[in-house]
Amino acid sequence: MSTPDFAKHGLLISPIENGTVIDHIKSGEALNVLRILGITGTTDKSLSIATNVQSSISEKKDIVKISNMELSKDDVNKIALIAPNATINIIRNYCVIEKIGVKIPDLLMGVIICSNPGCISNSNEPIDSKFEVVDGNLHCLYCDNIISSDIANHII
Amino acid sequence: MRHIISIKDFGRDEIDALLEKAAKIQKLGSYKRTLEGKLVALLFFEPSTRTRMSFTSALARLGGDPITVDSVEGSSISKGETLADTVRVVSSYVDAIVLRHPKEGAALLASEFASVPVINAGDGAGQHPSQTLLDLFTIKENMPLDGIDVGLLGDLRYGRTAHSLSYALSNYDVRLHTIAPKSLEMPAGHMSELKKRGVEVIEHQGLEEVINDLDVLYATRIQRERFPDSASYSRVANTYRITPDTLKDVRENLILLHPLPRAGEISPEVDALPYAKYFRQAQNGIPVRMAMLEEVML
């Protein structure tokens, strides 16, 4: 039996026809990326996940490929919070038609749950949570609470 | 439209201007009825005696009239109405809203939905700008706001008055001393923001370490209502008690402030000493709140 092309070229996971490839995810964060995109074990999407693979820019990285799904701006913002060096490639007909570098926005609306139970944004009010990003920490503009660690667990 | 939500929204010039305005009002003695015909909703969804009465008094002295809600039970919030809806509706009845609420950030939310000015009269463990302004006013009555050592004592973790005051003082050249038990220290985020603002902050646990080096000692109550259970409250409840003996070697110009109510932090024998300025501080709430009401409504 002949060796498949992708294996010859050292590809760990096969190319996708349409969808999104999220590359250069910080090693160990691939499953968190899926979680914040709302993708669970019961998904019907076709997924490929590679963890701890060799990277040219950092020692190790994770890669996620999702067929037939293109990410929204909100999704990109969320990914930026936990994988600030990630690149997002939108694939159509096996070709990269758009390459997006993630960038943590200055203001995050409705993306983070405030960890302060006394914060008004955790009440039944018709508002989105509102955080400004300062030096990689998240500052709640309603209650002044600062979230500096475990950010993945606060993403809505 | 001008709201007063957080002391952090004020620069030094704005604070100085408001304090000057309050000083003028106080000097006048009898007050002009500048808010005659104006209605103000005092929405107090959390217990408060001083702040509510002080705003009511300030408003009455300016000729305005209050409409008061003084509990959640007495409002449609108990029927599940959101604060956003409440302020939208109340905005159409009045010329300004003064809000006290147990949730942090409530005043900011109210300002986003109200069509009249909102003054924050305290939101949870968050901001209490009118208290801070009257604290500054009282300090300024006694000494310049620059070049002083200020000690913040007690519950610095949950105490919104200490949080607000420390932010306000960051506009001036002060040295801040925090004095609190380990479990009630100033939150790390707050400390780093103060340091970022260039304030020299020195942390202490014992009052005796620093009291003789202070110009202002701002004592706060250890707030039973902010603790998850009575055991954790009991562990720190009586950490500090200021008596005449505590004050025997302090600087001559020291002033002792407290936002009140007190719960044993300052013994009644201290009241007669020249350092005790906390009742004067409460009294200063009137001209300061008059200045604030005029600021947002005229």
Side-chain angles (χ1 to χ4, degrees):
Chain A
M1 194 168 65
S2 62
T3 309
D5 277 353
F6 66 82
K8 282 181 194 161
H9 292 97
L11 290 178
L12 193 65
I13 47 182
S14 57
I16 55 174
E17 185 177 353
N18 293 299
T20 303
V21 177
I22 308 168
D23 198 359
H24 299 294
I25 300 168
K26 191 176 158 202
S27 151
E29 293 287 356
L31 294 178
N32 276 332
V33 166
L34 289 175
R35 190 175 64 77
I36 64 175
L37 294 175
I39 296 171
T40 66
T42 59
T43 184
D44 56 3
K45 295 193 184 313
S46 169
L47 291 178
S48 307
I49 303 162
T51 60
N52 297 316
V53 297
Q54 214 69 34
S55 163
S56 54
I57 56 173
S58 59
E59 208 169 282
K60 281 178 177 175
K61 66 176 182 179
D62 290 359
I63 306 168
V64 168
K65 296 187 180 190
I66 312 163
S67 293
N68 302 318
M69 178 177 169
E70 292 185 10
L71 299 189
S72 69
K73 183 82 188 143
D74 259 5
D75 291 333
V76 172
N77 287 347
K78 290 180 187 176
I79 290 169
L81 289 171
I82 59 164
N85 297 317
T87 51
I88 291 168
N89 301 306
I90 306 297
I91 311 290
R92 287 188 201 145
N93 200 21
Y94 293 105
C95 294
V96 176
I97 60 115
E98 193 179 358
K99 200 175 186 83
I100 312 166
V102 302
K103 181 177 175 294
I104 300 177
D106 297 334
L107 188 67
L108 294 163
M109 303 272 291
V111 173
I112 298 289
I113 294 175
C114 185
S115 58
N116 171 11
C119 178
I120 194 77
S121 68
N122 287 324
S123 311
N124 185 30
E125 297 289 341
I127 52 166
D128 285 330
S129 68
K130 209 188 295 187
F131 282 82
E132 66 173 347
V133 182
V134 185
D135 302 334
N137 297 325
L138 306 179
H139 170 217
C140 175
L141 292 178
Y142 281 105
C143 74
D144 265 350
N145 182 37
I146 306 269
I147 300 176
S148 52
S149 59
D150 225 4
I151 287 173
N153 283 332
H154 294 96
I155 294 173
I156 293 170
Chain B
M1 188 165 53
R2 176 82 201 265
H3 304 286
I4 297 180
I5 304 302
S6 164
I7 201 69
K8 288 164 81 179
D9 303 333
F10 285 79
R12 179 178 175 135
D13 290 349
E14 287 171 298
I15 292 175
D16 287 343
L18 253 174
L19 298 184
E20 215 163 284
K21 187 175 181 154
K24 274 187 194 152
I25 288 172
Q26 191 179 51
K27 208 171 171 187
L28 273 176
S30 63
Y31 307 109
K32 290 182 186 166
R33 297 174 68 79
T34 50
L35 297 185
E36 196 146 87
K38 304 270 190 194
L39 284 176
V40 175
L42 301 175
L43 304 181
F44 276 63
F45 297 123
E46 191 183 52
S48 159
T49 310
R50 265 154 302 278
T51 307
R52 182 164 56 83
M53 290 186 69
S54 175
F55 266 112
T56 309
S57 170
L59 179 63
R61 284 161 195 263
L62 292 168
D65 291 303
I67 298 176
T68 304
V69 171
D70 57 9
S71 69
V72 168
E73 293 72 32
S75 75
S76 290
I77 288 197
S78 65
K79 298 175 191 165
E81 185 179 53
T82 60
L83 178 63
D85 278 1
T86 303
V87 298
R88 263 193 287 220
V89 172
V90 171
S91 287
S92 62
Y93 302 155
V94 297
D95 301 293
I97 292 172
V98 175
L99 177 72
R100 161 69 69 99
H101 197 279
K103 293 274 182 190
E104 283 111 77
L108 178 60
L109 175 142
S111 71
E112 290 170 348
F113 288 89
S115 53
V116 294
V118 173
I119 295 178
N120 185 1
D123 54 354
Q127 294 287 321
H128 198 354
S130 67
Q131 177 68 45
T132 300
L133 288 166
L134 73 89
D135 296 339
L136 293 174
F137 187 83
T138 311
I139 298 172
K140 208 175 174 183
E141 260 188 342
N142 291 277
M143 63 190 77
L145 285 167
D146 287 303
I148 55 174
D149 282 88
V150 179
L152 303 171
L153 171 80
D155 177 2
L156 307 185
R157 180 175 176 192
Y158 303 107
R160 63 184 164 206
T161 56
H163 295 169
S164 271
L165 181 59
S166 60
Y167 278 134
L169 287 169
S170 71
N171 289 293
Y172 299 89
D173 173 27
V174 298
R175 190 157 38 204
L176 275 184
H177 300 265
T178 61
I179 310 146
K182 212 71 189 127
S183 61
L184 294 178
E185 280 175 348
M186 196 79 97
H190 188 96
M191 284 291 265
S192 69
E193 188 162 348
L194 287 175
K195 284 175 184 164
K196 211 184 288 172
R197 285 166 175 242
V199 187
E200 186 181 354
V201 189
I202 304 152
E203 294 179 77
H204 310 267
Q205 285 182 27
L207 176 59
E208 66 289 346
E209 293 167 29
V210 67
I211 189 164
N212 297 342
D213 300 324
L214 298 177
D215 300 294
V216 178
L217 176 56
Y218 191 89
T220 62
R221 179 172 63 97
I222 298 196
Q223 306 168 95
R224 183 191 293 267
E225 65 274 24
R226 308 274 182 227
F227 282 82
D229 54 69
S230 58
S232 46
Y233 169 71
S234 301
R235 274 196 288 278
V236 290
N238 298 310
T239 310
Y240 304 108
R241 184 167 171 80
I242 300 166
T243 65
D245 197 46
T246 322
L247 298 165
K248 67 180 189 306
D249 293 321
V250 296
R251 287 183 181 167
E252 200 181 332
N253 68 329
L254 173 81
I255 60 169
L256 176 56
L257 303 180
H258 193 298
L260 302 176
R262 59 179 154 175
E265 310 82 41
I266 303 175
S267 77
E269 301 82 64
V270 172
D271 299 354
L273 300 178
Y275 314 112
K277 299 291 183 194
Y278 29 90
F279 292 118
R280 172 68 178 170
Q281 184 187 358
Q283 193 184 352
N284 284 338
I286 302 293
V288 168
R289 288 181 171 119
M290 288 171 77
M292 292 172 78
L293 287 164
E294 280 196 347
E295 181 75 12
V296 300
M297 292 172 75
L298 290 185

